[in-house]
Amino acid sequence: MSSNWKSFLALFLPCILVLLALESLLRPNPRERNYEAFTEMVYSRAAESLSPSASLPGAMTQQSVAPGVVIRGQLPFHYGPGPEEAQRAGRELLNPYTDEPHVLARGAEIYLRFCTVCHAGDGGGQGPVVKRGMLPPPPLGAARALEIKDGEMFHVLTLGQGNMGSYAAQISAADRWKVIRHVRLLQESVR
Ligand code: HEC
């Protein structure tokens, strides 16, 4: 055997022995988990929802939204209730939708589902619940409904007006704008 081989074995064999010794020392029972060196990687600190968590600010799992963040699908509505705010919405907000067929189709669907019960299919205000004693809404073809701008109507649907409640929880902002396009179409037909 050359001297090269000898020195190689002299180096290599002790290394193997040390590794085997370490292995049996750190993992005495092969049925058990390995020795855990960095436990942070093994056990995550993920918090249970709605339970306090020491690793989050204020120990709260549900953090409040950071200032300036807009939640997806929830564009802020910077108007309070009342007629003045409704008029301001009328001046400042524009309907993002035009009378494209898919917009009108969706608007008609929303109107049928949410508005017909009171306003009736033709907007005249004699829907089924009115026939059963509820105060009739003003006709959507009357002067006031014709005059109010889309933004003001959006305010009515978002925050309600008088006897009509808010529809913000049931109808998404996009659908509220689309149903307004349908109301405009109704108004054209009853004029
Ligand atoms: C529960 C019955 C009811 C439902 C459902 C309802 N409305 Fe109304 N709506 C009313 C009443 C009542 C008023 C009159 C409110 C007032 O000024 O006191 C009104 C007012 C309005 C006005 C303002 C009209 C005006 O002349 O001031 C608009 C526009 C309108 N509704 C649109 C809608 C649309 C669109 C829907 C469907 C998304 C809808 N409403 C669903 C009862 C209802």
Side-chain angles (χ1 to χ4, degrees), residues 111 114-115 117-119 134-135 137-138 140 144-145 148 153 156-157 161-164 167 171 179 183:
Y111 187 88
F114 293 100
C115 321
V117 277
C118 298
H119 287 276
M134 193 182 133
L135 280 178
L140 292 176
R144 184 186 131 77
I148 60 175
M153 208 179 275
V156 172
L157 300 185
Q161 172 191 298
N163 277 338
M164 181 178 149
Y167 278 81
I171 310 176
V179 76
V183 170

Side-chain angles (χ1 to χ4, degrees), residues 44-107:
S44 93
R45 301 208 291 171
E48 292 289 318
S49 53
L50 299 178
S51 64
S53 161
S55 54
L56 290 169
M60 296 187 302
T61 25
Q62 279 209 324
Q63 295 286 306
S64 37
V65 179
V69 166
V70 175
I71 299 170
R72 186 185 289 235
Q74 290 186 21
L75 278 180
F77 187 66
H78 302 287
Y79 300 89
E84 287 85 26
E85 286 289 277
Q87 281 158 22
R88 187 166 72 87
R91 285 191 302 273
E92 295 173 357
L93 297 180
L94 290 177
N95 197 329
Y97 295 99
T98 51
D99 288 349
E100 286 174 79
H102 70 95
V103 170
L104 292 176
R106 180 69 183 163

